[in-house]
């Protein structure tokens, strides 16, 4: 068994190591939260900038589109006016191309009252009608309402799939429809500013950080600084959809085999993502923790030596003195006094020990006196946690029927007595409270009651053999015919 000095030194070292580890863990956790907070602040600023860029681009696109729509409609009205003044030009392709060049138009188409192209700058389109495709069907309502003037959004045309923007009006006499087409370059340029790739290029992007945009309905990446991510769903990339949609906090994700810290925010119909590799996010932490660990080792080592010396000088030495006194008291020298005055705590401990010994002497004297004055066959025992020896009165061995060797065995170790009592409890008399038959002696009965306190057990044992035998005899005479021995 190790000495208290060795145990204390070992625990001081263990405590120092545990404290150092706890400090390192707490600091590491704090550093992680700080780095996450820092990058979340950066992401928040980036999202604000993204919202500003998108809003500015949308306003610009709206203005350009409104202006372009008016220009297209005015061009269609101008061609309709020229053709009304010069009816022969309606079927003159060369003259129509001249008008187109004059107004910087790419196409002019003349529709009859059935919605079919009968003339224009592009003969290859003759015969196409409003029923030829979805793009041309946009203008079909004009056949039933000649007051309509329509401008179509830019998109691929039916004949060749070219990106065009068309507008159409009826002639003044309502005999034909004039449709003009223009390459929507200005609108396209304005729309390109709303493209994710263009928006991301407006940011000051760190090469280590990836940005992506995820469609809120399909949950697929529609734009990203990392081209390999585009077109893939967040599930395939390894980004938890629930965490992305939560938006409140960043989260860790294993994206295609590499760990990242991700922050998402929904802007309009897209989730904008700020994705940074974990080795970049936490790159400063290992060196900081190493420096801290070295400092803690130095501090803990110094404190360990200092505390160990203080404990040895002011605790261990005095404990040895007290142990010597207690050993003599245990051996039966109840007149021994403990007098260690090196500190207030040891002085108080000495006083309490002396008072406890005095209390034990008085209690023993009182108990012996009380039991000697009664004619009842009663015994008392007591044992405490941490004390191996069992205290018992002289009648305990007599009541339990112990020999001298059994008495020494059961009173020498409280565990042995506890085992004996537990074995005794298995022989409880049915219908009786706390009355037991002594194992091996079927005609002997005792009554046992115990009181459990915080750290001790106090038991009172009463020999009730005569009382139980009389009761058994009375019950037998009551329930059995003495002559036939039948119930």
């Amino acid at each position: 068994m190790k000495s208290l000095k060795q145990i204390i030194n070992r625990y001081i070292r263990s405590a120092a190591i545990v404290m150092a580890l706890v400090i390192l863990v707490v600091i590491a956790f704090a550093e992680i939260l700080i780095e996450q907070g820092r990058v979340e602040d950066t992401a928040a600023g980036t999202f604000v900038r993204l919202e500003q860029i998108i809003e500015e681009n949308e306003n610009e696109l709206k203005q350009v589109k409104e202006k372009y729509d008016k220009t297209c409609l005015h061009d269609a009205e101008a061609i309709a006016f020229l053709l009304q003044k010069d009816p022969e030009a309606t079927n003159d392709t060369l003259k129509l191309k001249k008008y187109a060049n004059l107004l910087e138009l790419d196409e002019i188409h003349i529709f009859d009252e059935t919605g079919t192209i009968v003339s224009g700058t592009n003969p290859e389109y003759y015969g196409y009608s409003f029923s030829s495709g979805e793009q041309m069907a946009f203008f079909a309502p004009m056949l039933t309402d000649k007051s309509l003037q329509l401008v179509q959004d830019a998109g691929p045309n039916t004949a060749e799939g070219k990106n065009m923007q068309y507008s159409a009006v009826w002639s003044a006499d309502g005999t034909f429809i004039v449709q003009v087409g223009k390459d929507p370059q200005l609108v396209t340029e304005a729309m390109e500013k709303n493209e994710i790739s263009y928006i991301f290029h407006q940011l000051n992007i760190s090469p280590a950080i990836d940005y992506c945009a995820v469609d809120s309905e399909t949950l697929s990446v529609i734009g990203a600084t990392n081209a390999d991510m585009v077109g893939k769903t967040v599930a395939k990339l390894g980004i938890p959809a629930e965490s992305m949609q939560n938006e409140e906090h960043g989260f860790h994700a294993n994206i295609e085999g590499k760990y990242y810290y991700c922050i998402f925010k929904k802007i309009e119909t897209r989730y904008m993502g700020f994705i940074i590799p974990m080795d970049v996010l936490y790159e400063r932490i290992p060196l900081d923790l190493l420096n801290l660990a070295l400092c803690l080792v130095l501090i803990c080592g110094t404190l360990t030596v200092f505390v160990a010396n203080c404990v040895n000088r002011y605790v261990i030495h005095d404990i040895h003195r007290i142990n010597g006194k207690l050993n003599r008291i245990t051996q039966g020298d109840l007149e021994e006094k403990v007098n260690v005055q090196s500190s207030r705590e040891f002085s108080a401990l000495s006083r309490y020990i002396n008072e406890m010994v005095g209390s034990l002497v008085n209690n023993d004297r009182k108990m012996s006196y009380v039991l000697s004055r009664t004619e009842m066959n009663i015994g008392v025992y007591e044992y405490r946690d941490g004390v191996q020896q069992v205290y018992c009165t002289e009648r305990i061995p007599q009541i339990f029927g112990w020999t001298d060797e059994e008495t020494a065995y059961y009173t020498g170790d409280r565990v042995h007595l506890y085992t004996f009592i537990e074995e005794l409890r298995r022989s409880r008399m049915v219908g009786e409270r706390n009355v037991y038959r002594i194992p091996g002696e079927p005609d002997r009965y005792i009554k046992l009651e115990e009181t459990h306190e915080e750290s001790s057990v106090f038991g009172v044992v009463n020999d009730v053999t005569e009382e139980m035998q009389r009761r058994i005899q009375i019950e037998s005479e009551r329930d059995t015919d003495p002559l036939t021995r039948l119930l």
Side-chain angles (χ1 to χ4, degrees):
M1 182 180 294
K2 295 182 179 180
S3 66
L4 181 60
K5 178 179 179 180
Q6 293 174 320
I7 294 174
I8 290 178
N9 288 338
R10 185 187 68 182
Y11 277 100
I12 289 175
R13 289 193 298 270
S14 300
I17 293 173
V18 170
M19 288 178 61
L21 291 176
V22 169
I23 291 173
L24 284 174
V25 170
V26 171
I27 295 300
F29 186 70
E31 288 276 357
I32 290 173
L33 293 181
I34 290 172
E35 292 300 321
Q36 290 178 357
R38 180 180 61 81
V39 77
E40 287 179 1
D41 290 341
T42 302
T46 302
F47 292 143
V48 171
R49 178 58 182 153
L50 281 173
E51 289 180 309
Q52 292 174 345
I53 293 173
I54 291 173
E55 184 178 0
E56 291 171 0
N57 291 348
E58 286 182 347
N59 290 335
E60 181 181 352
L61 174 62
K62 183 179 179 181
Q63 293 174 2
V64 170
K65 193 173 181 304
E66 289 178 353
K67 182 177 180 181
Y68 202 77
D69 288 350
K70 290 180 180 179
T71 301
C72 290
L73 196 59
H74 290 161
D75 290 341
E77 290 175 339
I79 295 298
F81 177 77
L82 291 174
L83 295 179
Q84 195 72 40
K85 294 294 184 180
D86 186 8
E88 295 181 358
T90 302
N91 297 311
D92 189 339
T93 302
L94 293 178
K95 188 171 283 190
L96 288 174
K97 288 183 177 181
K98 189 178 295 185
Y99 288 156
N101 291 332
L102 180 65
L103 296 178
E104 297 181 347
L105 299 173
D106 293 291
E107 299 175 5
I108 297 176
H109 304 297
I110 308 300
F111 290 80
D112 62 15
E113 291 181 303
T114 66
T116 303
I117 298 177
V118 294
S119 181
T121 58
N122 300 73
E124 65 272 20
Y125 292 174
Y126 292 176
Y128 280 88
S129 67
F130 292 155
S131 60
S132 297
E134 183 179 352
Q135 177 265 323
M136 296 188 69
F138 174 82
F139 297 96
M142 296 181 67
L143 298 177
T144 56
D145 186 355
K146 293 186 177 183
S147 65
L148 289 178
Q149 295 181 333
L150 299 180
V151 181
Q152 189 178 37
D153 290 337
N157 65 7
T158 300
E160 300 179 83
K162 292 192 301 183
N163 190 37
M164 298 289 291
Q165 181 165 5
Y166 292 101
S167 58
V169 297
W170 278 94
S171 62
D173 58 5
T175 58
F176 58 90
I177 296 173
V178 175
Q179 183 188 69
V180 299
K182 295 183 69 174
D183 182 3
Q185 182 178 0
L186 293 177
V187 177
T188 302
E189 291 176 355
M191 291 177 66
E192 286 177 351
K193 291 185 179 181
N194 260 358
E195 293 293 329
I196 299 300
S197 57
Y198 179 87
I199 293 173
F200 287 155
H201 284 301
Q202 302 302 303
L203 304 172
N204 295 322
I205 299 177
S206 169
I209 300 174
D210 287 325
Y211 294 87
C212 70
V214 178
D215 185 87
S216 60
E217 293 184 359
T218 63
L219 298 182
S220 59
V221 178
I222 56 177
T225 52
N226 183 355
D228 293 338
M229 299 174 65
V230 178
K232 297 179 180 178
T233 63
V234 293
K236 186 174 182 180
L237 290 172
I239 301 174
E242 300 80 6
S243 301
M244 180 190 72
Q245 293 167 340
N246 187 21
E247 298 185 67
E248 294 183 3
H249 302 287
F251 58 92
H252 296 95
N254 185 344
I255 301 177
E256 298 186 330
K258 186 175 181 180
Y259 286 95
Y260 292 82
Y261 188 72
C262 308
I263 306 163
F264 279 84
K265 182 178 181 181
K266 189 174 184 181
I267 300 177
E268 295 183 349
T269 61
R270 295 161 292 195
Y271 287 101
M272 295 296 184
F274 183 100
I275 303 174
I276 181 170
M278 288 179 60
D279 55 354
V280 175
L281 176 60
Y282 304 129
E283 62 181 351
R284 297 187 303 174
I285 295 179
L287 182 59
D288 292 344
L289 292 181
L290 178 60
N291 293 330
L292 178 61
L294 294 176
C295 293
L296 289 175
V297 168
L298 179 61
I299 293 172
C300 290
T302 303
L303 287 177
T304 298
V305 173
F306 177 77
V307 172
N309 289 335
C310 289
V311 169
N312 292 336
R313 181 176 180 181
Y314 296 105
V315 177
I316 303 299
H317 176 69
D318 289 340
I319 288 177
H320 284 315
R321 292 176 58 193
I322 293 175
N323 283 343
K325 298 284 187 179
L326 290 176
N327 183 52
R328 286 190 286 274
I329 293 172
T330 303
Q331 297 300 324
D333 186 5
L334 299 182
E335 300 300 324
E336 181 68 50
K337 299 296 182 183
V338 179
N339 187 24
V340 177
Q341 304 293 330
S342 59
S343 65
R344 285 186 296 179
E345 288 76 10
F346 279 116
S347 177
L349 178 61
S350 299
R351 186 176 73 254
Y352 294 146
I353 291 174
N354 293 331
E355 290 176 357
M356 180 185 66
V357 173
S359 177
L360 289 175
V361 172
N362 291 334
N363 288 340
D364 184 53
R365 188 181 301 114
K366 293 175 182 178
M367 182 64 68
S368 298
Y369 176 79
V370 170
L371 292 178
S372 65
R373 294 294 181 178
T374 179
E375 296 181 357
M376 298 180 65
N377 199 10
I378 297 176
V380 175
Y381 64 85
E382 181 180 14
Y383 58 87
R384 298 175 177 273
D385 292 345
V387 180
Q388 188 176 14
Q389 192 75 22
V390 177
Y391 167 79
C392 67
T393 60
E394 59 184 11
R395 289 190 180 181
I396 286 292
Q398 178 185 347
I399 295 173
F400 285 138
W402 290 341
T403 63
D404 293 341
E405 291 78 9
E406 290 176 329
T407 300
Y409 177 77
Y410 289 122
T411 59
D413 192 331
R414 60 187 177 88
V415 176
H416 297 161
L417 178 62
Y418 175 81
T419 304
F420 176 82
I421 296 299
E422 289 301 310
E423 180 67 23
L424 180 65
R425 293 185 190 278
R426 297 191 182 97
S427 302
R428 188 175 70 86
M429 294 296 295
V430 178
E432 299 294 333
R433 181 181 179 184
N434 298 329
V435 176
Y436 307 92
R437 179 185 289 111
I438 296 180
E441 299 185 42
D443 295 331
R444 294 198 55 219
Y445 304 91
I446 65 165
K447 185 173 185 179
L448 171 64
E449 293 185 351
E450 283 187 344
T451 299
H452 294 261
E453 298 181 354
E454 291 184 357
S455 60
S456 66
V457 177
F458 183 82
V460 178
V461 183
N462 186 10
D463 190 338
V464 294
T465 300
E466 294 182 3
E467 178 183 343
M468 289 303 300
Q469 289 177 345
R470 287 197 302 269
R471 181 177 300 179
I472 292 172
Q473 182 179 358
I474 292 172
E475 291 177 353
S476 176
E477 293 174 354
R478 180 194 65 189
D479 299 333
T480 306
D481 181 73
L483 180 60
T484 65
R485 307 306 296 174
L486 297 176
L487 292 177

